[in-house]
């Protein structure tokens, strides 16, 4: 593997590729029959960048995007990077209260939206929050609720009162001064904040993670290196762009290798399978639940996935059995697993295509270049010996500049010596391979015994009746915590909770055996596919009639990035 750490901005790096491979495909939407070469996309993003300048967006202004993975999302991303505006990515599952918080907390200058998602009309939400849109002309917005907000853009052709359309923005840009864009491009620095992603936030409000050109472009490069990406690779990205998985592991890995991004607007297993086949994708990304949906789709066998080679499974702990199935049935012998968090831009540990199969299904790989990592006792701060569980910490080029306007929260996350504390529990062996055993809050302490949920989950998955399982701690007056298991049965299986207690008997230690088994149809997830264990704990608490006071510490759980 090469090591080409860059000190360029995203715009300068992209310009180099436009010069060296102008006709190479950069962005593809197979279901739309849409392809842009590097040169095509350069013209498109320049026009969007000039359109933004025309409506008053300048370096350092915060531009929010609340949208599915539509083509305009990527156009806006590169346009803001070219002029030094900060792209604020907004979770597509947010509703009015959450959007209001992010627009206000981020000091948002411009907001770009699509029509909506499922039962939520983004148009209606924004009009309710910003009634002035229907009363004031475009370019003169003054919102009582959001004093920094100046523009709302609709990413489409349909006209809405008080909003620019993306078509109008392109037209404005086409007539704007080229020298204004050149001036904006020349004033950028690799250390400028270019992207703000709000952490998933398992409790309370999310925090805006400030990431720079240098953070995400280099992290994307090393992520691509672990997959041995080249310009000839085509990476299918069905994960959301508002999350690091889509934006950094996806687009930045593709960009830094001059490769091609095969985009899926919104996850649908059938569209993913069809896109892989049509584009002859060589890599596929997804969280475990996505791969499960693809593998179990009734039309799975109709698609030719033989072009696949590598990819990433991430977002939550990856079941060993699922990894083996993806490798065998989806032609992905070189699939990889990364580990990280948004605050780390995000990946600092990752497996490699040349790791053994056992390493790739039982660990998350080794540390990434130019990043220091240590595993510490969270109580004392001392580095623990190999194979001893402790909190994972890292420092290096990848660390965020901080949480926007939250200096105290930033100081809690990054200590005085520059170490980012993950809140995750893991081990490292003598060869430098890391295993993630859970979050500090996910770790169950039963009568003084430390219990790591993943160990029990992997054991329960050996029961042929179980499709998926999540293990959580449940408050208990005698032991402090006891173990609970939420189980999704395979189709056609009929079972009772007691059956799984019998399955555990004589196979795992008594204190690890779940006291309670809950049969469910699905697990609560974030929009990026992470299982929300705190919601499962709440569900168990309600089902068992446990006093809320017993679970008071859960309110301070560290956010899951």
């Amino acid at each position: 593997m090469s090591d080409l750490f860059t000190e360029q901005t995203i715009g300068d790096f992209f310009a180099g590729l436009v010069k060296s491979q102008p006709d190479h495909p950069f962005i593809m939407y197979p279901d739309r029959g849409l392809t842009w070469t590097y040169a095509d996309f350069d013209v498109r993003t320049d026009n969007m960048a000039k359109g933004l300048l025309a409506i008053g967006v300048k370096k350092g202004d915060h531009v929010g995007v609340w949208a599915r993975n539509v083509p305009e999302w990527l156009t806006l991303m590169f346009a803001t990077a070219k002029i030094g505006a900060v792209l604020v990515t907004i979770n597509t599952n947010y509703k009015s209260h959450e959007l209001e918080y992010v627009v206000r907390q981020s000091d948002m200058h411009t907001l770009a939206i699509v029509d909506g998602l499922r039962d939520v009309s983004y148009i209606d939400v924004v009009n309710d929050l910003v009634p002035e849109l229907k009363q004031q002309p475009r370019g003169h917005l003054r919102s009582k609720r959001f004093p920094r907000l100046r523009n709302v853009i609709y990413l489409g052709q349909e006209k809405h009162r008080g909003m620019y359309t993306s078509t109008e923005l392109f037209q404005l840009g086409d007539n704007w001064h080229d020298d204004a864009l050149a001036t904006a491009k020349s004033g950028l620095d690799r250390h400028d904040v270019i992207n703000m992603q709000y952490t998933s936030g398992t409790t309370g409000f999310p925090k805006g993670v400030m990431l720079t050109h240098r953070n995400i472009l280099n992290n994307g490069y090393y992520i691509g290196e672990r997959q041995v990406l080249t310009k000839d690779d085509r990476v299918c990205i069905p994960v959301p762009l508002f999350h690091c998985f889509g934006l950094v592991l996806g687009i930045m890995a593709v960009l830094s290798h001059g490769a091609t991004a095969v985009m899926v607007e919104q996850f649908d297993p059938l569209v993913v399978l069809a896109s892989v086949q049509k584009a002859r994708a060589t890599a596929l990304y997804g969280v475990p639940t996505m791969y499960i949906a693809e593998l179990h789709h009734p039309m799975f066998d109709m698609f030719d996935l033989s072009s696949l080679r590598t990819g990433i499974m991430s977002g939550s702990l990856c079941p060993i059995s699922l990894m083996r199935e993806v490798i065998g049935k989806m032609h992905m012998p070189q699939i990889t697993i990364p580990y990280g968090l948004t605050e780390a831009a995000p990946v600092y540990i990752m497996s490699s295509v040349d790791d053994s199969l056992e390493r790739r299904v039982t660990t998350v790989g080794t540390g990434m270049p130019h990043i220091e990592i240590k595993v510490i006792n969270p109580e004392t701060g001392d580095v623990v010996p190999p194979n001893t569980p402790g909190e994972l910490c890292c420092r290096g080029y990848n660390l965020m500049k901080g949480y926007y306007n939250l200096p105290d929260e930033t100081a809690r996350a990054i200590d005085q010596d520059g170490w980012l504390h993950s809140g995750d529990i893991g081990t490292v062996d003598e060869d430098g391979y890391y295993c993630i055993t859970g979050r500090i809050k996910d770790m169950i302490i039963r009568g003084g015994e430390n219990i790591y949920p993943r160990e029990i989950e992997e054991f329960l998955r050996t029961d042929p009746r179980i499709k998926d399982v999540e293990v959580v701690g449940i408050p208990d007056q005698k032991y402090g915590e006891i173990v609970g298991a939420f189980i999704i049965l395979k189709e056609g299986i009929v079972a009772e909770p007691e059956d799984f207690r019998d399955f555990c008997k004589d196979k795992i230690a008594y204190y690890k055996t779940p006291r309670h088994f809950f049969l469910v149809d699905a697990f609560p997830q974030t929009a990026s596919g992470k299982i929300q264990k705190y919601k499962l704990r709440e569900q168990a608490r309600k089902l068992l009639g446990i006093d809320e006071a017993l679970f008071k510490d859960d309110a301070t759980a560290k956010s899951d990035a």
Side-chain angles (χ1 to χ4, degrees), residues 219 222-223 226-227 245 249 285-286 311-318 323 335-341 346-352 360 363-366 368 434 436:
N219 203 245
Y222 291 112
I223 290 163
R226 289 289 167 104
Q227 300 171 83
F245 199 173
L249 284 75
Y285 287 8
I312 292 176
M313 187 186 297
S314 183
S316 59
L317 296 176
C318 306
M323 282 285 289
I335 189 170
T336 61
I337 292 181
Y339 163 78
L341 60 162
V347 175
Y348 61 96
I349 301 169
M350 187 171 176
S351 61
S352 175
R360 281 186 285 127
T363 78
V364 292
T366 58
M368 301 285 267
Y434 291 83
I436 309 302

Side-chain angles (χ1 to χ4, degrees), residues 25-38:
F26 179 37
I27 306 293
M28 299 177 69
Y29 281 82
D31 60 327
R32 295 175 177 234
L34 176 63
T35 298
W36 285 311
T37 65
Y38 276 79

Side-chain angles (χ1 to χ4, degrees), residues 163-386:
M163 302 182 191
Y164 292 98
T165 68
S166 52
T167 302
E168 289 168 333
L169 219 58
F170 286 124
Q171 291 170 345
L172 283 170
D174 196 38
N175 293 295
W176 200 250
H177 317 291
D178 287 337
D179 57 348
L181 177 59
T183 300
K185 287 180 177 180
S186 66
L188 305 184
D189 184 87
R190 64 194 183 280
H191 295 294
D192 291 337
V193 173
I194 201 64
N195 179 234
M196 223 159 80
Q197 300 183 32
Y198 276 77
T199 56
S200 301
T202 52
T203 59
F205 285 109
K207 300 180 285 290
V209 176
M210 297 186 290
L211 300 172
T212 67
H213 296 269
R214 193 171 186 260
N215 288 151
I216 64 175
L217 184 53
N218 283 296
N219 203 245
Y221 170 73
Y222 291 112
I223 290 163
E225 286 296 280
R226 289 289 167 104
Q227 300 171 83
V228 195
L229 295 185
T230 71
K231 68 186 291 286
D232 297 322
D233 278 296
R234 295 185 170 189
V235 183
C236 185
I237 305 172
V239 294
L241 289 168
F242 71 77
H243 187 267
C244 270
F245 199 173
L247 194 153
V248 183
L249 284 75
I251 300 302
M252 289 296 107
V254 167
L255 173 69
S256 60
H257 290 82
T260 303
V262 179
M263 299 304 303
V264 175
E265 182 177 321
Q266 187 176 337
F267 177 73
D268 179 303
L270 189 60
V271 174
V272 173
L273 294 169
S275 296
V276 169
Q277 175 177 289
K278 186 174 181 180
R280 302 301 294 160
T282 59
L284 174 63
Y285 287 8
V287 298
T289 52
M290 289 179 175
Y291 284 106
I292 290 171
E294 291 152 12
L295 284 161
H296 292 177
H297 195 280
M299 296 176 68
F300 177 81
D301 291 333
M302 296 176 60
F303 292 95
D304 178 7
L305 308 180
S306 61
S307 60
L308 288 173
R309 168 184 67 83
T310 186
I312 292 176
M313 187 186 297
S314 183
S316 59
L317 296 176
C318 306
I320 292 171
S321 58
L322 177 60
M323 282 285 289
R324 294 186 186 277
E325 199 172 6
V326 169
I327 289 169
K329 294 183 178 180
M330 299 185 75
H331 305 279
M332 297 174 68
Q334 297 181 338
I335 189 170
T336 61
I337 292 181
Y339 163 78
L341 60 162
T342 307
E343 293 88 338
V347 175
Y348 61 96
I349 301 169
M350 187 171 176
S351 61
S352 175
V353 297
D354 52 11
D355 284 332
S356 68
L357 176 61
E358 182 179 358
R359 291 283 200 192
R360 281 186 285 127
V361 299
T362 59
T363 78
V364 292
T366 58
M368 301 285 267
H370 305 292
I371 300 173
E372 297 176 82
I373 305 170
K374 64 180 180 179
V375 184
I376 65 168
N377 181 322
E379 299 296 327
T380 66
D382 296 330
V383 175
V384 300

Side-chain angles (χ1 to χ4, degrees), residues 461-537:
R461 287 190 182 103
T462 65
D463 187 323
R465 298 168 295 185
I466 292 177
K467 179 179 179 181
D468 207 356
V469 60
E470 292 289 332
V471 168
V472 299
I474 301 172
D476 183 79
Q477 287 183 319
K478 182 177 180 180
Y479 295 106
E481 284 184 298
I482 53 177
V483 182
F486 285 79
I487 290 171
I488 299 175
L489 297 174
K490 290 182 178 176
E491 290 184 18
I493 296 296
V494 177
E496 297 296 327
E498 201 62 33
D499 298 338
F500 300 103
R501 190 170 289 108
D502 293 337
F503 179 78
C504 294
K505 190 177 180 182
D506 300 325
K507 293 188 180 75
I508 58 173
Y510 73 94
Y511 68 86
K512 295 180 182 176
T513 300
R515 173 80 65 84
H516 300 284
F517 292 88
F518 307 95
L519 304 183
V520 296
D521 295 324
F523 302 134
Q525 300 179 34
T526 66
S528 55
K530 294 186 181 182
I531 307 300
Q532 295 173 303
K533 290 206 174 193
Y534 80 100
K535 286 191 176 180
L536 292 176
R537 290 194 285 268

